[in-house]
Amino acid sequence: MTLPPSTQPHDTAPTVPADVVVVGSLNMDLVVRTPRLPQPGETLTGHGFTTTAGGKGANQAVALARLGTATAMVGCVGDDDYGHALRDGLEREGIHCQGIRRCGEQPTGVAVIQVDDDSRNSIVVTPGSNGELTPADVEGCDALLASARLVICQLETPLATVRHALERARHHGCLTLLNAAPAMSLPRDLLALVDWLVVNESEAAALSGQTVTHPDEAARAVQCLRKAGCRQVLITLGAQGVVAAVDDRLHHYAARPVTAMDTTAAGDTFVGAFAAALSRGEGIEAAIRYGQAAAAIAVTRAGAQASIPRHDEILPPAHS
């Protein structure tokens, strides 16, 4: 007998362990290209529309998988066409998807994205089924977390679920990475569960209470967030690079100069590539550089997951 989708249990425990488990969101992205971002109350005529797979959690999982990391996803989709398409797409990438639950009570999450001719974007997310991901879902994938080296979370799913995932990861001795997006304030006891905090300017400002617009301000925010309990903090500044504390010293890593086309998944690509490098034992600085190289490629392409590069695009084959 098959249970209704909203109560369908996770599949049996995985037979192949994952190096990295991503607990997070899956969205279908509805992307409109516009000459510029509209003002409130203004109607513009766009010049392009696409429907592409997205969601911060799923984007990061795809980046990991394309960069050669054994990856599993824990999330929740609706029992609808978008949900089936998103899970099928992740499976084609080689991502372990037994931790993705179907929810019959909410539709799959959707993001409406406007991208202007200067490659700036504005995004409105309707969480849908992402809001139904519960601590019980994490418990159902506990064996999966126990097999991992690193567990990654974002903030597009309920905070109680994020906390539980970080707690279970710590219980199993896994490293934890929190991409604290979208921007919001977080309690110190949750930040204390984070080994790697990765945030952009607005997210760093929301967490630290400080203005973050350039590397010097980012450096002060890094110090503030480490005092709040995070072990390591990386602040991504787009074209201004990355500011991070490495070996208790602050460093600024300049960005690669590129002509950007679409920055939609740049941050997720950085997170996935950074985590992929860490999971295979590379040092912090090498992992940051690898993340920057991957993101630099992603911004030159349109779409979220469609823009994410593969490892051989970042580093040439060994025999070449």
Side-chain angles (χ1 to χ4, degrees):
M1 178 179 176
T2 302
L3 297 175
S6 61
T7 57
Q8 184 84 24
H10 292 290
D11 297 336
T12 56
T15 57
V16 179
D19 289 333
V20 179
V21 176
V22 179
V23 180
S25 56
L26 302 92
N27 288 326
M28 190 60 77
D29 290 350
L30 311 180
V31 184
V32 179
R33 305 287 307 200
T34 66
R36 56 183 172 79
L37 299 180
Q39 298 296 317
E42 181 182 18
T43 298
L44 292 179
T45 299
H47 49 74
F49 174 75
T50 55
T51 302
T52 61
K56 296 192 71 63
N59 293 345
Q60 292 167 16
V62 168
L64 283 155
R66 288 187 184 169
L67 298 173
T69 306
T71 306
M73 179 86 203
V74 177
C76 189
V77 295
D79 188 25
D80 50 30
D81 289 345
Y82 284 164
H84 292 294
L86 290 174
R87 176 166 173 156
D88 289 348
L90 294 185
E91 288 180 338
R92 286 194 295 271
E93 297 285 349
I95 296 167
H96 184 89
C97 293
Q98 290 179 2
I100 298 176
R101 177 169 64 88
R102 296 196 317 274
C103 170
E105 300 171 357
Q106 290 286 341
T108 298
V110 170
V112 178
I113 304 172
Q114 299 173 100
V115 183
D116 72 9
D117 288 344
D118 292 323
S119 300
R120 298 172 300 178
N121 63 54
S122 65
I123 304 174
V124 177
V125 177
T126 301
S129 56
N130 292 308
E132 301 301 308
L133 188 67
T134 67
D137 291 314
V138 174
E139 284 291 335
C141 298
D142 202 52
L144 192 61
L145 271 63
S147 75
R149 298 177 183 176
L150 175 67
V151 173
I152 300 177
C153 297
Q154 320 80 38
L155 299 178
E156 290 186 333
T157 56
L159 199 58
T161 305
V162 172
R163 178 189 293 275
H164 194 67
L166 296 173
E167 289 173 344
R168 294 309 298 165
R170 278 289 177 86
H171 173 79
H172 292 301
C174 304
L175 289 173
T176 58
L177 187 155
L178 176 64
N179 176 215
M184 65 180 70
S185 61
L186 293 172
R188 285 200 170 205
D189 61 336
L190 189 147
L191 292 175
L193 297 169
V194 178
D195 292 304
W196 292 99
L197 178 71
V198 182
V199 287
N200 66 16
E201 303 100 309
S202 61
E203 295 149 8
L207 287 172
S208 67
Q210 301 183 23
T211 301
V212 180
T213 58
H214 56 73
D216 288 343
E217 291 175 341
R220 290 192 288 271
V222 166
Q223 293 174 320
C224 176
L225 291 169
R226 292 194 72 189
K227 290 178 182 178
C230 298
R231 296 187 180 185
Q232 305 288 349
V233 180
L234 278 67
I235 299 180
T236 59
L237 300 167
Q240 297 185 81
V242 174
V243 172
V246 178
D247 297 327
D248 293 324
R249 291 184 299 172
L250 287 167
H251 293 260
H252 175 224
Y253 301 87
R256 294 188 177 191
V258 296
T259 300
M261 176 183 180
D262 181 356
T263 61
T264 301
D268 295 332
T269 301
F270 175 86
V271 169
F274 173 76
L278 286 182
S279 73
R280 58 177 177 254
E282 295 190 23
I284 299 169
E285 292 197 358
I288 292 172
R289 294 295 190 192
Y290 188 69
Q292 288 182 300
I297 293 172
V299 299
T300 65
R301 302 170 175 174
Q305 291 174 20
S307 71
I308 298 171
R310 298 186 183 278
H311 178 69
D312 59 5
E313 297 179 82
I314 301 172
L315 299 177
H319 61 270
S320 66

